[in-house]
Amino acid sequence: MHNRPKIIVFSGIDGSGKSTQLELLYNELFTNYRVFISKIEYMPLNDMNKSLIKNLLIEFKSGIEILKQTIGLYTKDNKFDYILCDRYLMCYLAYAYVYGIEPIELIRKMLFFIKNPDLTLYFDVDVDLALKRIQERDLELDRHENYASLIKAKEGYEKLYRCSGNLEIIDANKSVEEINNNVKDVLIRRKLITHLK
Ligand code: ADP
């Protein structure tokens, strides 16, 4: 197999099923391939715009998260066949848009060192359905998603997803199994995989 790992990005608003689909694909790949999972943690943007200092700290923390992921990707050559990314720069930019940060300016600052993914899967889900899934998943968590922020995040994604390489839009309103089959079809069609479990 090629020395450079194939980078597959799972993107979409919260509740679109990124983690679920990443795990399913991981389970199907890891018996035959060396697979690394790279996750950008939850974007801490909720306090954005409260003060200049806070903004700088939040941008700094987010920058570090993205840098950590990027450095991680650069150090995996020859060691892995696939890197499955739960969120990527584009996801941060989409959420940044929700909190009024100008994405183009951020892209200009960051894009020069970011690797272009071999495939970006965008899980396109209706906001009502995403919110229902999040509420069922995060019963005990004090998370900040609500209808308005998800609508805005989706708008952010739709504005930005074409910036990420090799985009495929997946209908994420379907069942877990149907989506998993669509993801596998895309991988086969794009010749990113030769055999699955
Ligand atoms: P994300 O990582 O995009 O936030 P998750 O994979 O955590 O989304 O999914 C959110 C919740 O919805 C989880 O509880 C998961 O079990 C459930 N879920 C994921 N995909 C589907 C689906 N296609 N149909 C119904 N429920 C789903």
Side-chain angles (χ1 to χ4, degrees), residues 19-177:
S19 314
T20 304
Q21 293 300 329
L22 188 152
E23 198 181 321
L24 282 175
L25 188 63
Y26 176 83
N27 289 338
E28 296 188 64
L29 289 176
F30 87 97
T31 42
N32 294 321
Y33 300 99
R34 299 164 304 163
V35 188
F36 182 80
I37 295 178
S38 166
K39 184 173 169 79
I40 295 190
E41 284 311 321
Y42 183 65
M43 310 296 180
L45 298 176
N46 304 302
D47 282 339
M48 211 69 202
N49 292 329
K50 297 223 171 111
S51 79
L52 181 64
I53 302 276
K54 210 159 194 177
N55 278 5
L56 287 174
L57 285 173
I58 291 169
E59 284 202 41
F60 181 70
K61 183 167 183 336
S62 305
I64 296 282
E65 278 291 323
I66 289 159
L67 198 63
K68 257 171 36 192
Q69 185 184 53
T70 305
I71 292 169
L73 299 190
Y74 276 103
T75 57
K76 301 295 179 292
D77 285 3
N78 299 315
K79 298 194 190 95
F80 289 92
D81 303 311
Y82 290 96
I83 301 180
L84 307 183
C85 298
D86 192 341
R87 300 201 179 104
Y88 205 63
L89 171 68
M90 190 250 296
C91 307
Y92 172 72
L93 296 175
Y95 271 85
Y97 173 76
V98 177
Y99 293 93
I101 308 164
E102 185 45 66
I104 301 307
E105 184 55 21
L106 283 167
I107 292 174
R108 196 183 61 73
K109 284 186 199 157
M110 292 170 162
L111 218 56
F112 73 96
F113 66 85
I114 302 286
K115 287 191 180 223
N116 201 24
D118 297 280
L119 174 64
T120 301
L121 296 166
Y122 172 65
F123 293 95
D124 190 5
V125 68
D126 291 346
V127 167
D128 298 289
L129 189 53
L131 197 58
K132 189 168 156 278
R133 289 181 191 166
I134 295 170
Q135 282 161 350
E136 283 165 11
R137 179 191 63 187
D138 295 350
L139 284 176
E140 74 293 1
L141 294 177
D142 179 26
R143 293 277 290 265
H144 298 262
E145 288 87 357
N146 55 44
Y147 190 79
S149 74
L150 286 176
I151 287 271
K152 196 83 174 139
K154 188 163 172 166
E155 204 180 302
Y157 268 112
E158 282 165 6
K159 210 173 139 97
L160 289 162
Y161 56 32
R162 280 171 226 290
C163 302
S164 194
N166 302 313
L167 175 74
E168 289 275 351
I169 299 170
I170 305 279
D171 181 354
N173 298 307
K174 297 182 181 167
S175 73
V176 170
E177 194 190 348

